[in-house]
Amino acid sequence: MRLTATGTALVASLLAASAAGLSAAQSGGSLYAASQASAGSRIYAASCASCHGDRLEGGVGPAVSGANLRKLAKNTKLTVGDLFQFMALQMPLNQPASLKHEQYAQIMAYILKFNGYPAGARSLTYDAAMKSTALM
């Protein structure tokens, strides 16, 4: 198989972005489907907003968007997998790991959308989210 100049440039830029540790939002990749984020917004409202705020701004629980999350992510090199693992195993605080795997993936898709990550054609799976090395 021969790569065109454009194809070669695309592969090179994706490899460079990966090597540089750029997030999916920064490198132009996608981690979730738009329909997932939509479903995730409803689950977030029912299961997360009372602690993390209606707009993910924080409250009793920490913010999962905005300047505070960006600072934490930058300082700790927080990955999607790191955040997802904590969320899926420790949240909601009063009933840890009580949601279905699909629901956790949908909430993560909503968080990603809210933080500027682009949607794509594929849905984020629980296993893929657990292993994701994309930076937040």
Side-chain angles (χ1 to χ4, degrees), residues 51-131:
C51 292
H52 297 282
D54 292 335
R55 306 280 303 150
L56 291 75
E57 74 278 12
V60 175
V64 286
S65 71
N68 288 338
L69 179 64
R70 285 190 299 275
K71 183 177 180 181
L72 173 69
K74 181 181 177 185
N75 291 341
T76 64
K77 300 196 183 322
L78 181 71
T79 67
V80 169
D82 296 333
L83 180 59
F84 186 78
Q85 287 175 34
F86 183 82
M87 177 182 70
L89 300 175
Q90 302 297 321
M91 295 289 126
L93 188 59
N94 58 346
Q95 293 181 314
S98 60
L99 301 176
K100 295 177 183 173
H101 285 189
E102 180 182 19
Q103 291 175 307
Y104 282 112
Q106 290 167 331
I107 293 168
M108 189 72 226
Y110 175 61
I111 292 170
L112 291 169
K113 177 182 178 184
F114 204 93
N115 282 284
Y117 284 73
R122 287 193 203 172
S123 291
L124 179 66
T125 66
Y126 183 90
D127 291 335
M130 281 288 205
K131 298 173 187 173

Side-chain angles (χ1 to χ4, degrees), residues 15-66:
L15 289 173
S18 175
L22 297 177
S23 69
Q26 294 167 315
S27 66
S30 61
L31 298 171
Y32 68 93
S35 60
Q36 261 188 314
S38 180
S41 71
R42 292 185 293 279
I43 300 164
Y44 177 91
S47 301
C48 312
S50 62
C51 292
H52 297 282
D54 292 335
R55 306 280 303 150
L56 291 75
E57 74 278 12
V60 175
V64 286
S65 71

